[in-house]
Amino acid sequence: MPTQRAVDPNPHPVPPPVLNPPVKLPRKAPVYAEETPTQLVRRARKMHKVLTETYPDAHCELDFTNPLELLVATILSAQTTDVTVNRVTPTLFAKYPTAQAYAEADREEMEAILKPTGFFRAKTNSLLKLGQALVDEYDGEVPGKLEELVKLPGTGRKTANVVLGNAFGVPGITVDTHFGRLVRRFGWTTEEDPVKVEHLIGALFPKKDWTMLSHRLIFHGRRRCHAKKPACGACPIAQWCPSFGTGPTDPELAAKLVKVPV
């Protein structure tokens, strides 16, 4: 807070002492322990509004042109980065353009392509089974319903919501590592179970916002709100975050932690 100069009620000819320049005191993390459900909704929506302004270009960072490509890319994104997946998928998509192609793929050839993504044997197994399941049950097409998607090999609720929200325009909340970490850090929930997190956070926002909410939180998690050392002093929603101070609060130090995607 800025230092205010005291007014001397008895002026005298002696010049006043020179005050030290104002010192920016470290802010304290806001406390929301007694927050009502209504207050939580309002705070969460304020934070989302600012994130919307901060990340106007938020989007799915996996490259795809159709539901099958997005489904495959999301399965491959487990335990690796979207950047790595995007380096591999052009070759993969060119070689296997249909579900039938995945079903009939040579295991060793696919493993060689997927090796950079890690756990490539398990991922190859998932894609082979996925292709066969799509051919057998859905005429080679990716279904557009959650209850059908989650039955497919290698596809859980997180993957299903990514596909629904970004390939079919069906609102969904993607509870990945970043999303789960941030909603707990923001004090929106203390729940650890991804399915419960999905439902609890969904109740705070209009359904139409779910997909973009996921993208914006994931963007924020990758760029500022890092797991070990968040850039608190460069955070646009710090004033509403009970975890402020987890990382450096000095603006200059925090700014150095902000990551720009390559």
Side-chain angles (χ1 to χ4, degrees):
M1 295 178 60
T3 303
Q4 294 184 346
R5 187 186 298 274
V7 177
D8 187 352
N10 298 305
H12 48 76
V14 179
V18 177
L19 300 178
N20 291 326
V23 176
K24 186 177 179 63
L25 299 176
R27 293 172 293 174
K28 295 182 179 179
V31 178
Y32 295 103
E34 303 300 324
E35 193 172 41
T36 67
T38 299
Q39 289 171 331
L40 172 58
V41 169
R42 289 174 179 169
R43 179 170 65 89
R45 293 186 182 186
K46 283 180 183 177
M47 296 172 80
H48 181 226
K49 182 177 183 294
V50 175
L51 291 177
T52 300
E53 297 165 353
T54 305
Y55 306 109
D57 61 337
H59 60 278
C60 176
E61 295 187 278
L62 291 169
D63 295 336
F64 70 98
T65 62
N66 58 55
L68 177 60
E69 289 183 356
L70 180 57
L71 176 55
V72 169
T74 308
I75 290 172
L76 295 181
S77 68
Q79 304 299 316
T80 191
T81 66
D82 289 356
V83 172
T84 298
V85 174
N86 290 338
R87 287 174 182 159
V88 166
T89 49
T91 300
L92 185 74
F93 294 162
K95 190 171 183 63
Y96 310 108
T98 65
Q100 185 74 44
Y102 283 103
E104 297 174 349
D106 179 84
R107 178 180 292 275
E108 290 186 1
E109 290 181 356
M110 185 178 288
E111 286 182 352
I113 296 173
L114 300 186
K115 191 170 184 179
T117 69
F119 301 94
F120 61 93
R121 292 188 180 87
K123 291 178 181 179
T124 296
N125 195 48
S126 292
L127 295 190
L128 293 174
K129 291 182 178 179
L130 172 67
Q132 194 63 58
L134 290 175
V135 169
D136 292 345
E137 300 174 33
Y138 300 103
D139 296 322
E141 299 296 324
V142 176
K145 294 182 178 180
L146 179 66
E147 59 270 22
E148 295 176 336
L149 283 167
V150 295
K151 294 178 182 178
L152 294 172
T155 309
R157 287 185 69 93
K158 183 194 81 171
T159 298
N161 278 322
V162 170
V163 174
L164 288 173
N166 298 282
F168 291 103
V170 178
I173 290 179
T174 303
V175 185
D176 73 346
T177 303
H178 298 290
F179 190 96
R181 181 181 77 250
L182 265 62
V183 296
R184 287 186 287 273
R185 187 171 277 176
F186 294 168
W188 292 0
T189 182
T190 57
E191 186 56 64
E192 297 278 348
D193 179 79
V195 177
K196 291 181 179 179
V197 169
E198 178 187 335
H199 292 305
L200 287 169
I201 302 306
L204 301 178
F205 297 91
K207 189 173 182 179
K208 63 181 178 62
D209 292 341
W210 288 356
T211 299
M212 288 308 301
L213 170 72
S214 301
H215 289 322
R216 287 162 189 147
L217 261 66
I218 291 170
F219 259 52
H220 191 59
R222 288 174 173 167
R223 288 153 178 77
R224 283 183 171 85
C225 199
H226 314 304
K228 294 183 179 179
K229 202 173 184 181
C232 290
C235 179
I237 54 175
Q239 63 180 300
W240 300 290
C241 182
S243 298
F244 177 79
T246 302
T249 59
D250 179 85
E252 292 186 7
L253 292 178
K256 296 177 181 179
L257 298 175
V258 177
K259 293 183 178 179
V260 178
V262 294

